[in-house]
């Protein structure tokens, strides 16, 4: 909150662009550039299809990533999901492999 909030989310233009992206993505408005806000938990180059692991910010069109409370709820969900993955022996292997691939400059 003390680093990213002032550097990114307190910038009115950036916050507006993020809200416009969320609105367009959630309502399927064909902008050609709107994308789902998500945090990828594994390298999606090696973990594909139904096994790809990521945490979605929100499906709500008026969700606001610049709002610290909404963003922290997203971050905490992602942290819990990452922790759950690391406690499952098979998923842990996939996560570790993905981190290795990323560290080596892969996808």
């Amino acid at each position: 909150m003390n680093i990213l909030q002032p550097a990114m989310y307190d910038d009115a233009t950036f916050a507006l662009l993020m809200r416009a992206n969320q609105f367009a993505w959630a309502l399927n408005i064909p902008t050609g550039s709107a994308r789902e806000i998500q945090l990828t938990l594994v390298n999606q180059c090696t973990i594909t299809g139904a096994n790809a692991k990521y945490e979605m910010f929100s499906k709500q069109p008026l969700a606001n990533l610049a709002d610290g409370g909404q963003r922290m709820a997203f971050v905490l969900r992602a942290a819990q999901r990452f922790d759950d993955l690391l406690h499952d022996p098979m998923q842990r292997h996939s996560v570790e492999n993905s981190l290795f691939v990323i560290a080596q400059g892969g996808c």
Side-chain angles (χ1 to χ4, degrees):
M1 294 297 293
N2 296 328
I3 305 290
L4 288 180
Q5 188 68 41
M8 294 174 58
Y9 300 106
D10 285 351
D11 181 297
T13 302
F14 180 77
L16 179 64
L17 290 170
M18 293 299 292
R19 292 194 78 183
N21 175 78
Q22 177 67 23
F23 187 81
W25 174 82
L27 295 176
N28 294 313
I29 297 172
T31 65
S33 62
R35 297 290 181 260
E36 176 185 3
I37 298 171
Q38 59 178 246
L39 176 66
T40 302
L41 301 171
V42 296
N43 176 358
Q44 292 185 351
C45 295
T46 57
I47 308 298
T48 60
N51 293 326
K53 306 290 183 208
Y54 67 92
E55 185 64 38
M56 175 190 311
F57 169 57
S58 177
K59 290 184 179 182
Q60 300 302 313
L62 298 179
N64 181 5
L65 194 63
D67 175 66
Q70 292 180 48
R71 188 172 63 258
M72 289 311 296
F74 168 51
V75 168
L76 292 173
R77 282 193 324 271
Q80 182 60 57
R81 185 139 179 227
F82 189 71
D83 188 60
D84 293 345
L85 289 171
L86 293 179
H87 282 92
D88 178 289
M90 293 302 289
Q91 297 298 332
R92 180 185 181 104
H93 175 73
S94 295
V95 171
E96 288 173 346
N97 181 57
S98 293
L99 291 172
F100 178 78
V101 169
I102 292 168
Q104 297 302 312
C107 297

